[in-house]
Structure formats: structure tokens, C-alpha cells
Amino acid sequence: MSSFRFDLILILIFTIHFAPALSDLVISKLDRRIDLSSQIVRMTLTLKVENTGTDPVSEVSLAFPEHQANNLALLVAVSTKGKGKSRGSATNLPIKIKQPNDSPPSLIWYAASLPKELGKGESLNMDVLAVFTHMLRPFPEKITQAESQLFLFQESAHFTSPYNVKVQSLTVKLPSENVESYTKLENTKFSGSEVKYGPYENLPALSYTPVIIHFPSNTPFAVAKELVREIEISHWGNVQVTEHYNLIHGGAQSTGEFSRLDFQARPHLRGASAFRNLIAMLPPRAHSIYYRDAIGNISTSNIYGDSSKTLLEIEPRYPMFGGWKTSFTIGYGLPLQDYLFQLGGARFLNITFGSPMNDVLVENLTLKVVLPEGSRDISVSVPFPVKQSQETKISHLDIAGRPTIVVEKVNVVPEHNQYFQVHYKFSNLSLLTEPLMLICGFFSLFVACIIYMHADFTISKSSSSYLAKLQWDEVQGTIQQFQDIINRCLLIHDKLEVSLRELSRNGDVQACKAVRKSADSLLKDYSKESKPLLAILQSSPQAAHILPKVEELIVKEKDLQEKIMLKHTMVVDSYEKKSTGRDFENRVASIQQKISALRQEVDDLLEFIEDV
Ligand SMILES: *[C@@H]1O[C@H](CO)[C@@H](O)[C@H](O)[C@H]1NC(C)=O
Ligand SMILES: *[C@@H]1O[C@H](CO)[C@@H](O)[C@H](O)[C@H]1NC(C)=O
Ligand SMILES: *[C@@H]1O[C@H](CO)[C@@H](O)[C@H](O)[C@H]1NC(C)=O
């Protein structure tokens, strides 16, 4: 395993004798630390820059190899100007890309502007934080459920500085004390969980010496392919936050198809590389918290809290292995007065930008701020570059719709979870629109009722139109009860599916059988309940056009029920006898196909009779 395929690894070669125009600066000391303890790679640089030339300098350049620059999620630099050890207060330096004409290829340059020019002989201390995503490459790319993940990290032992560096060192922090291999140069040390390169003295500008570290890591590689956060302001006292996640395990792919039976046969085998839960850190006063997926609310989630935060533990219905995906939604309410403030005649929302989940990388974040209807003069201020647009959200009781700010950003890391503001103006009169509409609405309903009651009296109770109307009401009522029963059956089907998933997690055969027993008796009850309803429909001439569909629905649902029961029995039995096999899996798969097709037909039929 420790032999690399070097042909896979990009090695960059620079011209060492490249002499940049800015070479009047010299870095007298540079310490670099790289933290590989999570999927998000953080590099911190502490450097001391000296102006050895005669002209004052207003910019300090940093250069990163292209493969790093492409994955750079955040770059911040602060300066502390001072002589010797006395360091003044830190100043944030604006940074922009500034590519010199004579740059070697595969190198991207960033220029940090100094608050004040650095004069001849003066020096400056700088701290830089660079955050990278997608920098760890799983190697091997595919592993089985039982194996640990291994990653390759490629760097240069010498910083690609545009200036000569007098003394420099690099420390790489690994997630654990284990390492498969690392490139050994002169002055290389491995101790604890750190690989140290250096110190190296008097290196010329743009020195580059590739090193590769191969190490195990089983920290969660949770990547949100997409996150849509919606923040809705209600001036009646609430800020509602709803977050839709599309999450994937971004580490090494789990090989082959995941076999539930294999997993069941060895329930204690926990995939080392899988993750089971994630923690969302919500504000302390968050309330009405929920967590649901396509099937419904997930009650196995836990909520803890103290006065400074609320922790929501999110546990997907199955453990997440490499390449596996899950979609879910979390929602919570926040007290308005903690987030909305007055400023002159305007209001502003001040709330955090990113995901409340630690160490989740968000590839595409869409943030929507839904303002109350009637808001105007809207402006947004976010402390980093984003794509901005505006749309309108219409919900019940809205006339013109609510102005909605849409902010999009790619590669969002926890460091982006900063406060941002939305400023807007709003007249308090608009606040009365909805109650006024409600009052008008009730008043018109009231008037309509009076007219209707009067109108109804004009129809004689024995008239045929009156009887037809009564019959039609009965048919509709019956169909509704019938739909209700079918929906309850479908819910039980879902419960059976969930029980199989539970079985794969906890191995509790008895619990799974108990679910089937109670499902079976409930389904029988429902079937009894639906008989008199069908009789009513069969005897009513008004139901003639819908009856065939209802009868078809009954047959299909029954068929679906049988198939699901069959599959349930097969899986539980095989689990009990610990017998698996390709043949068995094929049979389960073929039943599953029929189940999916039937479920689609049942849903379609339900929809059809709903429209009657
Ligand atoms: C899920 O939880 C939310 C919030 O507690 C609740 O409003 C909703 O009715 C629940 N849905 C189901 C299907 O239980
Ligand atoms: C937003 O809120 C944070 C935390 O309460 C605070 O530190 C920050 O100053 C606020 N920003 C503005 C512009 O009010
Ligand atoms: C993420 O955004 C990029 C650029 O806007 C787009 O090309 C890509 O399809 C998006 N991915 C997803 C999963 O939405």
C-alpha cells in the first residue's frame, strides 16, 4: 500500500532563477502550519517581511500553485506592524488577485495591500490564513466497508514565496499519530501527530520541493452538494430558518453495491469510514426545532442545550458510507428581537451566513432572505464576495408577494459562518394589511353564507336537484374516507420499510417481527373498514364514473401489500438464518422493482380520485 503511483501525482516545476520585480522585500522568518485533521485543509502562515530596498512598498504578494488556488475557499491576511517583539493591533488587509506578466505558469498571485507603505529598512509582521477544500485525495479511491480511509496530501516543503526567505519551516498536523508514509528530506521529523520540515535557511524566491504525505483519516467527510437556507422574517415576532441539505459522504468510495445482508450478517461490523451523525450548533433561543427527510420527522435526533447554544444531533436513517447520499431538512424559529434591529428609519437583519454544522463543506449555498410584504429600499452586505439577485415569494394572504433576497456562493467553509446584514425600509401600516384582509375575508364569507342560506331555502326539499346534491355529497364524503384509509395503509407500508432499515442498524429481529405483526393486523382492519364504503359507492349512480378506478385502487393496494409483506418476511428470515447469496439478493431486487412500480400506480390512482 505504501507504494505510490507517482504518475498520478502532479509535480510542478518552477524556474528557480525567476526574479520577480518585487524582490526588494525579504522574508526574514516564515512559519507555516497545515492542519489536516478534517476534510477542510487550513494553512496558517506567520511571517516577518522586511523592506531591504530603497523605495517604499505598499503591497505584499503571496503565490500559490494553481491546483491549490483552484481550491482556495478563503484567504485572509492581517498585519501587525511593529519592531521586535512588540506587536500592535491587527489590521485586516484587502487582498486581490494580481498576476505579474512574467509569472511562471501554474502559479496564482495574490496581493495584500498594506494600510501604510513600508519604508526603507522597515519591517512588518503578517498572519495569513488560507482555507482549502478538495485537497485531500483518497488513495486508494475505493475501499470496502471494513477498511479505513487513506488520503494523499501534496505540498511543497518550501513556501512558494515571491521573495527570498531567510528562515522557514513547515509543520503538518495529521488527524492521528498514524501515518502510512511521508517524503523525507533533510531536517524532516515525525513526532506525535505532526510532520515537521525545516528549518531551512536562505532559500531563493519561488523555491519548490514537493512532499507527499499518505495518512489515515476517518473524520466525517460530509459534503453538502447543495444547501438552500431560507430565512423568513415575520414582524409578528419570529425569524423562521429552514435548511434543505443534499449531503454526500465525500471520502473514499465504498466498493461494490452495499449489501444490507452482508451488513446484517455482521451487525457489529461498523464501517470505520462511515459517519452516523452530525451536530448542528443552533442559537441558544432556537425553538420549534425539527429534522425531517422524505419519509417524515426523524425523532431519533437529539436536542441538548445550555445558555450559550442549542445542539441538534442529526442522525440519518442509515450510516453514511463513502459516496452515499442523503437529503434532509432542518428548521427552527428564532426570536425576532435578537436578529432584527432599527437604524434611523430603517431596519436591518443581522444573522449568520453559513451552515450551523461543524466541518461540513457546502459546495453550493443558496441563501434566501424573505422579507415582509411591502419592504422596500433593500440592500445586503456580506463580508465576502457573493452572487446576488432578488425574487418574490408568494404565500397565502399575500397580495404582491414578499421581496426575497437570493445570495449564492460556492465552496462555503465554516469560516464563512460570519454575520451579514440585510437593510430595508418598512411602513408599519403594511403590518395591518394582513389582519385587514382577514377581516374583509371573514366579512365577505359571512355575507356569502347569508346569501347561500337564503338561496338554499328556495329549493324545495323534495326537488330532484336537492336529492342529487345530497347524493353527490355522500359520494364525495365516502371517497374522502376511502382515500384516508388508503393513505393510512401506505403509511404502514413505509413503517415496514423503515423497520428493515432499523434492523440493519440494530439487528433486533424481534422488534422487526413485532412491527410486521401489528402492521398485518392494522392492514386487515383497514380492509374491513373499506368494505362498507365500497358498497355505498357501488349502490350510488353518481359514483358510476369513479367506481372502476376505486376498484382498481383496491386491487393494486392489496397486491402491493402482499409484495411488501413477502419482501419483509424474506429479509427477516434470511437475517435470522444468516444466509445470504447472490440468488437471494436478485429475488429481493426483483420484488423491490414490482413494489416500486405498484406504488407508483397506487399514487397515480389516488391522485386521480382526489381530483373528482
Ligand atoms: C414534524 O415536526 C414538526 C415540528 O415539531 C410538526 O409541526 C409536524 O407536524 C411534524 N410532522 C409529522 C409528520 O409528524
Ligand atoms: C451582528 O451581530 C453580532 C453578534 O451579536 C455582532 O458582533 C455584530 O456587531 C453585529 N453586526 C452589526 C452590523 O450590528
Ligand atoms: C453548483 O454551482 C455551480 C456554479 O454555479 C453549478 O455549475 C453546479 O451545477 C452547481 N451544483 C449543484 C449540485 O447545484
Side-chain angles (χ1 to χ4, degrees):
M1 181 72 293
S2 53
S3 65
F4 299 123
R5 289 185 49 202
F6 275 98
D7 56 317
L8 286 177
I9 294 157
L10 181 74
I11 295 179
L12 303 164
I13 293 156
F14 298 118
T15 339
I16 302 280
H17 302 293
F18 171 79
L22 302 169
S23 56
D24 273 353
L25 289 182
V26 167
I27 298 181
S28 47
K29 189 165 177 1
L30 186 153
D31 288 312
R32 219 160 31 119
R33 279 192 72 84
I34 297 176
D35 185 351
L36 302 184
S37 54
S38 81
Q39 61 169 332
I40 295 165
V41 172
R42 295 176 170 93
M43 183 194 290
T44 47
L45 296 153
T46 313
L47 45 124
K48 186 168 182 202
V49 186
E50 264 177 41
N51 185 359
T52 54
T54 45
D55 298 333
V57 173
S58 62
E59 275 179 358
V60 177
S61 290
L62 300 162
F64 291 97
E66 200 175 17
H67 73 102
Q68 292 188 350
N70 290 343
N71 293 316
L72 184 62
L74 187 80
L75 181 62
V76 284
V78 296
S79 79
T80 43
K81 199 177 167 187
K83 292 204 164 62
K85 288 213 182 266
S86 66
R87 296 183 122 203
S89 62
T91 318
N92 238 314
L93 307 181
I95 296 183
K96 58 179 187 298
I97 291 191
K98 192 170 177 189
Q99 200 74 1
N101 293 332
D102 50 357
S103 161
S106 322
L107 211 52
I108 309 290
W109 298 61
Y110 298 84
S113 321
L114 301 180
K116 189 168 154 281
E117 286 188 335
L118 197 63
K120 176 180 176 217
E122 285 183 315
S123 73
L124 166 99
N125 294 315
M126 244 172 103
D127 291 326
V128 178
L129 169 68
V131 181
F132 301 95
T133 63
H134 303 99
M135 286 271 283
L136 301 180
R137 217 161 59 87
F139 189 84
E141 287 174 355
K142 294 184 177 169
I143 57 172
T144 66
Q145 280 167 230
E147 285 177 304
S148 276
Q149 295 180 114
L150 292 171
F151 291 91
L152 286 181
F153 177 68
Q154 183 202 353
E155 239 306 331
S156 166
H158 306 147
F159 184 55
T160 49
S161 160
Y163 315 109
N164 297 349
V165 185
K166 284 192 188 152
V167 187
Q168 67 170 297
S169 68
L170 167 67
T171 307
V172 182
K173 166 124 183 46
L174 304 180
S176 72
E177 297 189 354
N178 300 324
V179 66
E180 280 285 303
S181 67
Y182 56 95
T183 309
K184 295 179 185 73
L185 306 174
E186 61 163 321
N187 281 353
T188 307
K189 258 206 323 254
F190 177 69
S191 72
S193 56
E194 293 183 341
V195 188
K196 289 204 172 90
Y197 290 99
Y200 300 116
E201 288 178 15
N202 294 324
L203 289 172
L206 300 183
S207 294
Y208 187 87
T209 308
V211 295
I212 290 167
I213 302 178
H214 191 205
F215 63 99
S217 175
N218 286 319
T219 51
F221 271 59
V223 178
K225 284 279 163 197
E226 204 177 7
L227 164 60
V228 180
R229 290 189 84 209
E230 188 174 289
I231 299 175
E232 181 154 5
I233 299 177
S234 158
H235 283 165
W236 299 99
N238 192 41
V239 176
Q240 179 64 35
V241 184
T242 313
E243 302 179 348
H244 306 278
Y245 287 84
N246 226 325
L247 204 80
I248 187 169
H249 183 312
Q253 296 275 324
S254 224
T255 29
E257 255 173 60
F258 171 68
S259 163
R260 178 185 304 270
L261 297 170
D262 195 26
F263 197 60
Q264 283 167 347
R266 280 167 290 168
H268 302 299
L269 174 75
R270 268 191 63 157
S273 64
F275 61 86
R276 291 185 169 239
N277 59 2
L278 293 166
I279 306 278
M281 197 154 84
L282 308 180
R285 304 219 285 155
H287 59 85
S288 319
I289 301 169
Y290 66 86
Y291 163 43
R292 66 176 153 78
D293 66 3
I295 299 178
N297 282 352
I298 302 181
S299 50
T300 51
S301 56
N302 288 312
I303 297 173
Y304 320 91
D306 57 27
S307 58
S308 66
K309 62 191 176 302
T310 305
L311 296 182
L312 169 66
E313 183 186 358
I314 289 167
E315 194 175 323
R317 290 183 200 263
Y318 40 84
M320 296 281 292
F321 283 94
W324 288 27
K325 295 173 185 162
T326 180
S327 297
F328 59 86
T329 300
I330 64 177
Y332 46 94
L334 299 170
L336 185 71
Q337 71 269 25
D338 292 0
Y339 299 93
L340 192 73
F341 307 93
Q342 293 270 358
L343 186 70
R347 296 167 199 239
F348 72 98
L349 173 80
N350 181 29
I351 197 165
T352 49
F353 182 83
S355 161
M357 270 183 252
N358 259 340
D359 281 323
V360 168
L361 159 65
V362 182
E363 285 188 356
N364 285 26
L365 174 70
T366 307
L367 176 66
K368 298 187 175 189
V369 181
V370 184
L371 300 174
E373 201 173 17
S375 303
R376 62 203 151 77
D377 299 347
I378 303 162
S379 67
V380 187
S381 90
V382 185
F384 34 79
V386 292
K387 194 175 142 205
Q388 244 187 61
S389 57
Q390 200 167 331
E391 61 184 36
T392 305
K393 179 180 171 171
I394 309 242
S395 48
H396 56 284
L397 291 184
D398 287 349
I399 307 170
R402 306 178 187 209
T404 301
I405 298 295
V406 183
V407 171
E408 286 165 89
K409 176 154 181 61
V410 295
N411 264 354
V412 179
V413 293
E415 278 79 359
H416 286 123
N417 210 356
Q418 303 173 24
Y419 281 86
F420 75 102
Q421 293 82 33
V422 178
H423 295 259
Y424 64 96
K425 288 198 175 131
F426 183 81
S427 134
N428 274 327
L429 268 182
S430 310
L431 205 53
L432 293 178
T433 324
E434 286 187 4
L436 280 178
M437 272 173 58
L438 277 179
I439 292 168
C440 294
F442 280 123
F443 183 72
S444 357
L445 190 69
F446 184 62
V447 171
C449 282
I450 293 175
I451 295 172
Y452 176 76
M453 281 164 74
H454 279 275
D456 205 35
F457 284 137
T458 63
I459 303 174
S460 142
K461 293 251 147 132
S462 61
S463 78
S464 60
S465 65
Y466 182 74
L467 282 179
K469 186 180 168 307
L470 276 188
Q471 279 172 358
W472 180 233
D473 283 352
E474 190 185 19
V475 167
Q476 275 187 321
T478 312
I479 286 183
Q480 230 160 45
Q481 286 177 38
F482 179 75
Q483 272 173 355
D484 189 45
I485 289 176
I486 298 282
N487 277 326
R488 273 185 279 161
C489 290
L490 294 183
L491 227 67
I492 292 188
H493 298 174
D494 290 342
K495 276 205 184 121
L496 284 165
E497 293 287 354
V498 171
S499 77
L500 286 183
R501 258 174 249 149
E502 287 284 308
L503 176 67
S504 75
R505 285 186 354 164
N506 58 20
D508 192 345
V509 179
Q510 292 317 320
C512 197
K513 280 186 169 170
V515 171
R516 185 163 77 226
K517 192 153 171 248
S518 83
D520 195 45
S521 87
L522 277 172
L523 287 170
K524 287 209 171 92
D525 288 350
Y526 292 155
S527 153
K528 266 184 222 141
E529 266 181 58
S530 69
K531 287 211 169 91
L533 299 176
L534 187 63
I536 295 176
L537 294 179
Q538 278 162 342
S539 66
S540 169
Q542 298 226 27
H545 67 291
I546 186 98
L547 189 61
K549 291 285 184 191
V550 171
E551 284 170 338
E552 192 185 344
L553 181 54
I554 290 175
V555 173
K556 296 280 186 203
E557 195 280 327
K558 187 100 191 142
D559 199 7
L560 177 57
Q561 229 179 72
E562 279 163 9
K563 295 269 182 326
I564 288 178
M565 282 295 185
L566 176 64
K567 176 182 134 191
H568 199 274
T569 315
M570 279 172 72
V571 172
V572 173
D573 282 357
S574 85
Y575 183 72
E576 221 169 10
K577 294 180 198 139
K578 310 222 183 313
S579 70
T580 76
R582 174 142 304 289
D583 181 43
F584 173 80
E585 278 187 52
N586 286 344
R587 269 191 295 150
V588 173
S590 114
I591 296 178
Q592 183 55 46
Q593 253 177 21
K594 286 183 194 138
I595 290 176
S596 307
L598 278 167
R599 176 66 191 247
Q600 186 59 48
E601 287 183 75
V602 168
D603 285 343
D604 289 349
L605 284 165
L606 260 180
E607 207 170 309
F608 179 86
I609 61 172
E610 211 149 279
D611 294 339
V612 168

